[in-house]
Amino acid sequence: MLRKLMISCGGTGGHFYPGLAVARVFAARGGASRLLLSGIHAEDQKNKAEACQTEAVALPKMPQIKKNPLGFALGMLRGFFAARREFHNFAPDALLLMGSFASLPVWLAALTCGVPVYLHDGNARIGKAN
Protein backbone atom coordinates (compact mmCIF):
# COMPACT_ATOMS: atom_id res chain seq x y z
CA MET A 1 0.00 0.00 0.00
CA LEU A 2 1.30 3.44 -0.91
CA ARG A 3 1.76 5.75 2.04
CA LYS A 4 4.11 8.32 0.56
CA LEU A 5 3.88 9.58 -3.00
CA MET A 6 6.26 11.94 -4.79
CA ILE A 7 4.76 13.72 -7.79
CA SER A 8 6.87 15.42 -10.45
CA CYS A 9 5.01 18.12 -12.31
CA GLY A 10 5.32 21.69 -13.43
CA GLY A 11 6.12 23.61 -16.49
CA THR A 12 2.61 24.32 -17.66
CA GLY A 13 -0.66 24.28 -15.78
CA GLY A 14 -1.56 21.17 -17.77
CA HIS A 15 1.07 19.25 -15.81
CA PHE A 16 0.89 21.14 -12.52
CA TYR A 17 -2.84 21.22 -11.76
CA PRO A 18 -3.47 17.50 -12.35
CA GLY A 19 -0.42 16.73 -10.16
CA LEU A 20 -1.72 19.04 -7.43
CA ALA A 21 -5.16 17.40 -7.65
CA VAL A 22 -3.66 13.92 -7.23
CA ALA A 23 -1.61 15.12 -4.25
CA ARG A 24 -4.65 16.61 -2.56
CA VAL A 25 -6.80 13.49 -3.07
CA PHE A 26 -3.93 11.27 -1.90
CA ALA A 27 -3.59 13.39 1.27
CA ALA A 28 -7.36 13.35 1.85
CA ARG A 29 -7.17 9.54 1.82
CA GLY A 30 -4.48 9.51 4.50
CA GLY A 31 -1.30 9.49 2.45
CA ALA A 32 1.61 11.91 2.41
CA SER A 33 2.66 13.54 -0.83
CA ARG A 34 5.24 16.02 -2.04
CA LEU A 35 5.39 17.82 -5.36
CA LEU A 36 8.69 18.25 -7.18
CA LEU A 37 8.16 21.26 -9.43
CA SER A 38 10.17 22.23 -12.45
CA GLY A 39 9.97 24.82 -15.16
CA ILE A 40 9.87 28.59 -15.26
CA HIS A 41 6.76 28.78 -13.07
CA ALA A 42 8.05 26.45 -10.33
CA GLU A 43 8.24 29.10 -7.59
CA ASP A 44 4.73 30.39 -8.31
CA GLN A 45 3.40 26.83 -8.45
CA LYS A 46 5.14 26.05 -5.16
CA ASN A 47 3.30 28.94 -3.53
CA LYS A 48 -0.03 27.74 -5.00
CA ALA A 49 0.57 24.20 -3.75
CA GLU A 50 1.50 25.37 -0.27
CA ALA A 51 -1.65 27.54 -0.19
CA CYS A 52 -3.51 24.22 -0.67
CA GLN A 53 -1.56 22.65 2.25
CA THR A 54 0.50 20.53 -0.16
CA GLU A 55 4.25 20.13 0.31
CA ALA A 56 6.21 21.30 -2.72
CA VAL A 57 9.83 21.79 -3.73
CA ALA A 58 10.97 23.92 -6.66
CA LEU A 59 13.80 22.21 -8.54
CA PRO A 60 16.54 24.06 -10.45
CA LYS A 61 15.48 25.38 -13.83
CA MET A 62 16.29 23.41 -16.96
CA PRO A 63 15.97 25.25 -20.29
CA GLN A 64 14.86 23.46 -23.43
CA ILE A 65 17.72 21.63 -25.15
CA LYS A 66 17.08 23.37 -28.50
CA LYS A 67 17.37 26.83 -26.95
CA ASN A 68 20.34 26.21 -24.64
CA PRO A 69 22.08 22.80 -24.80
CA LEU A 70 24.65 23.63 -22.10
CA GLY A 71 22.00 25.10 -19.81
CA PHE A 72 19.89 21.98 -20.39
CA ALA A 73 22.78 19.71 -19.36
CA LEU A 74 23.57 21.77 -16.26
CA GLY A 75 19.89 21.94 -15.34
CA MET A 76 19.62 18.17 -15.75
CA LEU A 77 22.52 17.61 -13.35
CA ARG A 78 21.26 20.11 -10.79
CA GLY A 79 17.73 18.73 -11.02
CA PHE A 80 18.97 15.15 -10.72
CA PHE A 81 20.92 15.83 -7.52
CA ALA A 82 18.17 17.98 -6.02
CA ALA A 83 15.61 15.24 -6.75
CA ARG A 84 17.88 12.58 -5.22
CA ARG A 85 18.12 14.69 -2.08
CA GLU A 86 14.33 14.88 -1.92
CA PHE A 87 14.00 11.11 -2.40
CA HIS A 88 16.35 10.52 0.52
CA ASN A 89 14.61 13.11 2.72
CA PHE A 90 11.01 12.10 1.94
CA ALA A 91 11.54 8.37 1.18
CA PRO A 92 8.50 7.93 -1.09
CA ASP A 93 6.97 4.56 -1.91
CA ALA A 94 6.49 5.65 -5.54
CA LEU A 95 6.94 8.51 -7.99
CA LEU A 96 4.20 9.76 -10.29
CA LEU A 97 5.50 11.66 -13.33
CA MET A 98 2.95 14.00 -14.85
CA GLY A 99 4.92 14.44 -18.07
CA SER A 100 7.07 17.22 -19.52
CA PHE A 101 10.74 17.08 -20.41
CA ALA A 102 11.42 18.76 -17.06
CA SER A 103 10.51 15.48 -15.32
CA LEU A 104 13.49 13.72 -16.89
CA PRO A 105 16.03 14.41 -14.08
CA VAL A 106 13.45 13.33 -11.48
CA TRP A 107 12.84 10.07 -13.34
CA LEU A 108 16.59 9.39 -13.49
CA ALA A 109 16.93 10.14 -9.77
CA ALA A 110 14.08 7.74 -8.97
CA LEU A 111 15.77 4.98 -10.97
CA THR A 112 19.03 5.41 -9.05
CA CYS A 113 17.14 5.42 -5.72
CA GLY A 114 15.09 2.32 -6.53
CA VAL A 115 11.76 4.16 -6.38
CA PRO A 116 9.01 2.70 -8.60
CA VAL A 117 7.87 5.14 -11.30
CA TYR A 118 4.40 5.64 -12.76
CA LEU A 119 3.84 7.88 -15.75
CA HIS A 120 0.75 9.90 -16.58
CA ASP A 121 0.38 11.82 -19.83
CA GLY A 122 -2.97 13.52 -20.30
CA ASN A 123 -2.17 14.82 -23.77
CA ALA A 124 -3.80 13.56 -26.95
CA ARG A 125 -0.28 12.75 -28.22
CA ILE A 126 2.46 11.53 -25.92
CA GLY A 127 5.30 14.04 -25.58
CA LYS A 128 8.88 13.31 -26.67
CA ALA A 129 10.20 12.92 -23.11
CA ASN A 130 7.50 10.37 -22.28
Side-chain angles (χ1 to χ4, degrees):
M1 176 172 190
L2 291 179
R3 293 191 176 122
K4 294 172 114 183
L5 179 64
M6 189 81 80
I7 302 168
S8 176
C9 57
T12 66
H15 298 290
F16 169 69
Y17 287 107
L20 178 60
V22 169
R24 293 182 72 195
V25 169
F26 192 75
R29 294 182 177 178
S33 62
R34 183 175 294 172
L35 299 180
L36 293 183
L37 303 167
S38 50
I40 61 172
H41 305 293
E43 285 298 328
D44 290 336
Q45 291 170 345
K46 179 179 186 261
N47 293 335
K48 288 176 184 176
E50 290 173 347
C52 295
Q53 289 77 46
T54 301
E55 287 186 44
V57 175
L59 296 176
K61 290 185 172 79
M62 184 176 70
Q64 292 180 5
I65 195 167
K66 290 179 185 177
K67 293 183 180 179
N68 184 348
L70 181 58
F72 177 83
L74 290 174
M76 276 283 296
L77 282 173
R78 289 182 186 126
F80 170 79
F81 287 113
R84 275 186 57 91
R85 236 182 346 270
E86 291 303 318
F87 283 117
H88 289 294
N89 292 337
F90 188 66
D93 298 312
L95 167 67
L96 174 61
L97 293 172
M98 298 304 292
S100 171
F101 76 93
S103 291
L104 188 57
V106 180
W107 173 69
L108 292 171
L111 290 179
T112 65
C113 293
V115 176
V117 177
Y118 298 90
L119 177 63
H120 174 273
D121 195 327
N123 297 313
R125 278 200 259 156
I126 292 177
K128 291 178 185 176
N130 295 346

